[in-house]
Amino acid sequence: MAGSRRNNNEWIVDRVIHTAIPMKPKDFLYIIPISLAFGVWFASVQKGNWLIGFVSFSFIFLLSFIFLKFFISLANAGKTLAWIVAVAFTLRLLAGLVIHFGLPIYGHEDSDDDKAGYVFTDAHNRDNQAWDLASSNRPILNAFTDKFAYDQYGGLLAFSAFVYRYLSPDAHRPLMLILLSAFIAALGIPFLWKAVDQIFSDKVAWASAWIFALYPESILLGSSAMREPYLLTFSALALYGFVFGVREINSRLPDAKTAPRVWLGIGLLGLLLVSPPIAIATLIVFAGWMFFTNENRSLSWKTILIFAVIFLLGLFFLSASLNRSGEFDSTSPLRVVNDWLRLAVKWNAYQIERESGWVQKLFDEMLPWMRLPFVAVYGVFQPVLPAALVAPTKPIWKIIYLLRSVGWYAMLPMLILSFGAGAGEGSRKKRNIILWLTLLTWTWILLAALRGGGDSWDNPRYRTILFMWESILGGFVWVWWRETRNVWFVRVVLCEAAFLLVFTQWYVSRYFHWGGQLPFAGMIILIAGLWGTILGAGWWMDKKTRR
């Protein structure tokens, strides 16, 4: 026992020595000039008083670079992590600039969002509401109490209005929120890396960090004034605090864990303010994690009490946010949430039927009970890569659609294989964690498909809200395949290739009348037949090899 306590003390001293001063004075020799240079340019391309813009943009850049450098150094992971964070920040900021300046020129002439430089309608309308609130005499806290159609929870609207009121009081500068989104999105990577490295390995941590940084849908959302980059980073903060700060999770660490618990609190509070449902979902993830990894199943009553309080707060906050307009009569938070979700799924299923002619035709032909399962499956494949390849649109939108689709179809095989990879893990704790995360991730993917109505924009965006957990699964499966060269990875990829090949031909025949068009049911049968052949042949080869 004494030796264990001495080792713990040595661990604390070692961490203090190596992390007490994570930044050096010479770091400011390049951070300050770069921040000022960016401040000059950004102030020049945005309207309003140049000096106010220069000071505000320089301040945001300076703050962003200091925080990113600080937490990269604190993670103590070397230059590779710095490169990942730099790439993540740069890609999101560049994407935001290209969209902001490119869409008004190369986008659709009849789209108000395109003409204003926004990919997402929600970002456009919320940004306008934030500026209206900031430039008025109303308190910023009204974002949580008044009815705002484009931010039902109020947290992101309040933050955006705060930025505009105190950093851009003279003019509406949308690039400020784009810059902050890029910074916030990159900030979560050191926390994610540190947590995954502690639970799994540095190989899984590096793979997860790269996936987190490079996933196109995440880049697109991180280049816009959307809530997803904030949710992803708050989730990473909460995960870091949970892994290093909860005694039931990490018995290898010393008892002095106040700082990680602070990060856990910051992460959960941020999730609660920006999106109460995700705070609740995160608590469910953590609760299952503790249950399936705790050998003696004995949890601290303090831990249970804290999680229960936050869960109830999230539930009441969510209920109040959904019912600001008094649409639901029930006073029960669970009833309000249930009624809202039921109406939302019904409405979105109606939307997909109304907006897509061939889906409407399929709905007319299929039994009523089959429609919601169809929407769920159709949503899993959104954004559909064959449609992105074939459907005619503006070149800038073609690039956006293609990148989003390629990113999702690169992730899909790894998420599918996470069941098998997790089941084959030798460590009981790691196996339980992966299987638990896989179960919740796929539940969320299907819920996102239903909530988004199979829509090619809302559905992938809802799915990306929990992308941090998906990136961990993706990193784990990637390392598993690199180490085992399991043949089922190739077989799943072949199944996806068969789907894409047949579906692409169907889209080509639909738009350009080349090669003859199979009936939709016939196409599904052909894809199912190819999948059966690939999987059946694989099973037969495995059985033959075992003999």
Side-chain angles (χ1 to χ4, degrees), residues 5 71 82 110 124 148 156 267 272 380 441 454 476 489 532-533 543:
R5 188 179 298 111
F71 288 111
D110 58 345
H124 185 189
F148 290 96
L156 183 57
L272 194 62
V380 169
T441 295
F476 181 86
F489 187 93
T533 301
K543 187 176 181 180

Side-chain angles (χ1 to χ4, degrees), residues 153-169:
Y153 308 122
L156 183 57
L157 179 64
F159 175 72
S160 303
F162 178 87
V163 170
Y164 281 145
R165 178 168 292 182
Y166 296 105
L167 294 181
S168 183

Side-chain angles (χ1 to χ4, degrees), residues 18 23 75-76 79 240 243 253 260-261 277 339 366 386 406 416 474 490:
H18 285 85
M23 291 187 65
N76 197 27
K79 293 183 179 180
Y240 170 82
V243 167
L253 294 176
R261 289 173 179 172
D339 290 347
M366 68 177 61
V406 169
I416 292 172
V490 177

Side-chain angles (χ1 to χ4, degrees), residues 19-61:
T19 63
I21 310 176
M23 291 187 65
K24 301 176 181 178
K26 67 178 184 180
D27 293 330
F28 292 94
L29 295 179
Y30 65 87
I31 288 179
I32 292 176
I34 293 175
S35 300
L36 294 175
F38 278 126
V40 169
W41 188 83
F42 274 75
S44 301
V45 298
Q46 292 275 265
K47 61 184 180 180
N49 182 279
W50 183 88
L51 183 59
I52 294 177
F54 166 70
V55 172
S56 297
F57 276 114
S58 298
F59 172 74
I60 295 175
F61 270 109

